[in-house]
Amino acid sequence: MSHAAAEETGQLSVLAQILRPVLGEGSEAAARRLILRFGSLSTIYSASAQALAEEIGEPGPNRLAIAAVIVAARDLAAVAMRETVLGHPVDLGSPAFRQYLARRISGRREECVMVLFLTGEGLFIAEDIHVGTRQSTCDLPLRRTVRRAFDLDARRLILAHNHPSGDPRPSVDDVQSTRTFRQVMAALELSLDDHFVVARGGIFSMSDNGLI
C-alpha cells in the first residue's frame, strides 16, 4: 500500500469512527464523501458547523447531527491542546507555539481571528476565536477584546488570523488595522506582542518583519 493510500485509509477510519454513533453502517460512506468534498481531514476538522452542514450531503436531521459530532470532537481536541499551554509562558518564536496556532486556525475555510490573552509575565490565560464568513474577512474584535482583557485581568495580547487562500503575507489592510488596534490597546495599558498570519504556506509574524 502506498503512503498516500495508507494516509487516506487512516483518515477514513478515524472519521468513520467519529460518525458511527450517528450513521451506523453508513459512516464509512459518509466519511469518504466528506473527505472528497473538503479535500482533507484537516479541512474538515477546521470547518465551522455552518460550513459542514452546508457541504454534507445527508438529508434532514442527519446533516446537523454529523456537523455537531465533528464540531464536538474538534472542541474536545482544542481543550486538550489548550491544556498544554495554559499557565505556561508563551515563546512567540518557538516552533511549538507556531504549530499550536497552525493547528487551531490554518485549515479553516472562513477567515477568523484568534486573540490570546496573557499575564504581564507572558503566561497564557485564555483565547477567543472570532469567525467571519467565506465571502468576507473577519475584522479585529476591538471592543470585545478590551472587555475580555479587563475581565481576565490580562496585560498582554497576541493576535492571529488565517488566510484561507494559503498565502501568509499580510495585506495592507491587515497591517493598518493591526497598527490601529495596537494604538488603542496601548492607550489602555494593554500590550500587543505580535500579530501572526497563519496559512497553509506558512506563518508570518508582523513583529518579526517590523510591521508593528
Side-chain angles (χ1 to χ4, degrees), residues 129-184:
I129 294 182
H130 306 274
V131 181
T133 67
R134 295 189 214 182
Q135 289 78 30
S136 63
T137 61
C138 186
D139 295 331
L140 297 183
L142 189 57
R143 292 184 178 181
R144 285 176 290 178
T145 298
V146 170
R147 288 197 298 268
R148 183 84 159 123
F150 286 163
D151 288 344
L152 294 169
D153 196 25
R155 293 290 183 270
R156 295 163 60 182
L157 306 169
I158 300 167
L159 290 175
H161 82 278
N162 66 319
H163 277 180
S165 67
D167 185 351
R169 292 173 297 179
S171 67
V172 173
D173 286 345
D174 289 338
V175 175
Q176 185 55 54
S177 61
T178 301
R179 290 173 177 171
T180 300
F181 186 96
R182 189 180 194 186
Q183 290 170 358
V184 172

